[in-house]
């Protein structure tokens, strides 16, 4: 859940940055400025809400918080090697193109688009 809210923030910040840096870029739709700003604020509120669930003095507060955010950070960090092995053009291994191409062909044969 926390990962989702973190990435929502990143997506909408990226949307605002692209609007500022590349205004001429063609977009399928252009959201009103209020929408990404509200989404960023709401997503940040959801990310920060665990800090306000219990008082910091209550027993197990910091341990519970560390476990929640530790899991999120761990999930994000484990994706970094996959990016460099599967996506980044300079470091990508060719075997992943072969595997993904085979999976795409199999899905098409099974009727998935």
């Amino acid at each position: 859940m926390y990962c989702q809210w973190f990435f929502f923030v990143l997506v909408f910040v990226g949307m605002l940055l692209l609007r500022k840096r590349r205004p001429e870029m063609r977009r399928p739709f252009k959201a009103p400025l209020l929408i990404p700003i509200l989404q960023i604020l709401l997503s940040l509120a959801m990310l920060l809400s665990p800090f306000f669930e219990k008082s910091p003095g209550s027993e197990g507060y910091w341990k519970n918080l560390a476990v929640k955010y530790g899991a999120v950070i761990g999930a994000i960090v484990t994706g970094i090697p996959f990016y460099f092995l599967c996506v980044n053009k300079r470091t990508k291994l060719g075997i992943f193109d072969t595997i993904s191409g085979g999976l795409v062909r199999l899905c098409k044969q099974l009727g998935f688009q």
Side-chain angles (χ1 to χ4, degrees), residues 86 94-113:
C86 304
I95 187 73
F96 291 108
D97 284 338
T98 306
I99 293 170
S100 66
L103 287 173
V104 167
R105 283 190 300 280
L106 176 65
C107 288
K108 284 183 178 179
Q109 289 174 350
L110 295 174
F112 299 109
Q113 295 293 334

Side-chain angles (χ1 to χ4, degrees), residues 9-63:
V9 170
L10 290 180
V11 165
F12 284 100
V13 166
M15 205 168 129
L16 291 176
L17 286 175
L18 276 175
R19 181 180 284 199
K20 175 77 175 157
R21 293 181 183 171
R22 308 254 325 256
E24 76 287 346
M25 187 175 168
R26 186 184 166 286
R27 293 171 176 82
F29 67 93
K30 189 173 182 179
L33 190 60
L34 183 64
I35 301 293
I37 291 172
L38 279 175
Q39 184 63 41
I40 290 168
L41 292 174
L42 291 171
S43 297
L44 285 174
M46 294 301 288
L47 274 173
L48 298 175
S49 67
F51 288 106
F52 303 105
E53 283 179 352
K54 300 177 186 175
S55 64
S58 63
E59 188 174 331
Y61 173 79
W62 293 109
K63 182 179 178 185

